[in-house]
Amino acid sequence: MRIVPLFLFFSLYLYAETPRLFLLKNYKDDLNVTDWVMSEKLDGVRAFWDGTKLISRGGKLFTPPASFTRGFPPFALDGELWSKRGDFEHIVSIVNTKDPNRGWGELTYNVFEVPKQKGNLFERLHVLEAYLGTHLAERIRVVKQTKIEERQELKRYFDEVVQGGGEGVVVRDPYQGYYTGRKSSALKYKPFSDDECRLVSIIEGKGKFSGEMGAIACEYKGRLIRIGSGFTDEQRAYPPKIGSLISFKYYGLSRLGNPKYPVFLR
């Protein structure tokens, strides 16, 4: 396979320090999650509010209009920029524009964590709820956390979300203090598994993709995997940069531990 030569281009995006966030592990059916909480996993763009500005998971500064963040609190929030189910590509096109007036009115900021606050999840979210009781922030929504009384409740809720076009469900132990990184107390429950890898090379396309990206090679847990599907025409013409962190979905593991049928997500 031939590797497309790496080319340089100038980015107009501004960057801040990459935020340290809590991340999700994959849910497994044999786990006992009674007394945990569940919420819909919104298929939007994650954003960290540091008290003055919105920052992407990778450290890029978003440029919403002042009206969008009017009334936001002076303390940190973690949530999802979102519009509706099945609208991910449109959401990305809005938040990636440099024009603050383009489409932001369609989005809300759906908060599922209040970082750096004391107490359990309920107490941390209450800090925001108390603030919103005395301040008007029209674009903020607090993601509802529903207690799981029995395992079947989670399965029914999952089926309802997925059949309605949702991405899946987040399951969390609400009694954990705030932390960053991955722990088994915050899980994603989806119809497929997903993970991340680091892009190391671009593979040139053939046939209909001649002259464009055909696939990417990524480093995943010490091995190289190839991802060739899930890309838009624009992404094939303008591939992600070498070194980018790539999210992909897959359907089980091979006997060698490689993801089966990996598909690019974002």
Side-chain angles (χ1 to χ4, degrees):
M1 66 183 73
R2 188 157 67 89
I3 305 300
V4 175
L6 179 63
F7 58 90
L8 300 177
F9 61 93
F10 293 99
S11 172
L12 296 177
Y13 294 128
L14 298 176
Y15 285 81
E17 182 179 354
T18 302
R20 296 182 62 193
L21 307 174
F22 87 92
L23 304 171
L24 303 173
K25 288 190 171 185
N26 289 317
Y27 170 80
K28 298 180 180 178
D29 285 332
D30 60 350
L31 294 174
N32 182 6
V33 292
T34 302
D35 291 332
W36 286 26
V37 292
M38 58 187 178
S39 61
E40 181 173 345
K41 189 178 189 303
L42 303 177
D43 189 19
V45 174
R46 191 158 183 186
F48 176 77
W49 172 254
D50 71 351
T52 60
K53 53 189 177 294
L54 277 173
I55 308 170
S56 78
R57 181 178 163 185
K60 186 179 75 176
L61 290 177
F62 293 120
T63 55
S67 59
F68 187 88
T69 57
R70 185 176 296 130
F72 276 33
F75 50 83
L77 303 174
D78 188 4
E80 201 88 357
L81 295 167
W82 190 71
S83 56
K84 60 184 178 181
R85 291 171 175 172
D87 203 30
F88 175 74
E89 295 295 339
H90 182 54
I91 297 168
V92 170
S93 72
I94 293 172
V95 302
N96 280 345
T97 182
K98 299 299 290 183
D99 178 2
N101 298 310
R102 185 180 179 276
W104 280 89
E106 302 174 42
L107 306 182
T108 54
Y109 184 44
N110 298 264
V111 177
F112 43 68
E113 184 57 88
V114 186
K116 304 177 184 178
Q117 300 294 331
K118 296 180 180 179
N120 61 39
L121 176 61
F122 301 124
E123 293 166 331
R124 296 194 300 274
L125 289 175
H126 181 69
V127 172
L128 174 59
E129 292 166 342
Y131 175 88
L132 295 177
T134 56
H135 298 78
L136 179 62
E138 293 183 349
R139 292 296 163 180
I140 291 181
R141 305 286 186 271
V142 180
V143 175
K144 182 181 179 182
Q145 305 293 329
T146 302
K147 190 173 182 180
I148 303 170
E149 301 289 351
E150 58 180 7
R151 187 175 299 179
Q152 278 305 110
E153 281 186 329
L154 173 59
K155 183 62 169 65
R156 286 193 294 268
Y157 181 58
F158 172 81
D159 290 341
E160 175 187 323
V161 168
V162 172
Q163 290 170 12
E167 184 183 22
V169 174
V170 174
V171 186
R172 298 180 65 184
D173 179 354
Y175 302 105
Q176 287 277 328
Y178 181 71
Y179 64 88
T180 59
R182 296 187 196 274
K183 288 188 177 181
S184 296
S185 53
L187 309 169
K188 53 193 172 188
Y189 183 12
K190 303 170 71 171
F192 51 81
S193 299
D194 64 354
D195 212 329
E196 296 171 339
C197 60
R198 187 74 62 180
L199 194 157
V200 297
S201 64
I202 305 293
I203 302 168
E204 184 179 13
K206 298 179 180 179
K208 65 179 290 187
F209 299 130
S210 180
E212 298 182 327
M213 177 186 71
I216 60 174
C218 278
E219 182 182 2
Y220 174 73
K221 296 184 178 180
R223 67 191 77 185
L224 282 180
I225 63 171
R226 174 178 170 142
I227 303 175
S229 61
F231 300 101
T232 64
D233 290 341
E234 183 178 2
Q235 287 164 342
R236 290 191 182 278
Y238 302 98
K241 292 191 294 185
I242 302 298
S244 297
L245 193 63
I246 301 299
S247 295
F248 67 96
K249 64 181 179 180
Y250 63 97
Y251 300 86
L253 298 173
S254 71
R255 61 183 181 83
L256 298 177
N258 292 323
K260 291 182 178 178
Y261 318 116
V263 177
F264 175 82
L265 286 175
R266 62 187 70 100

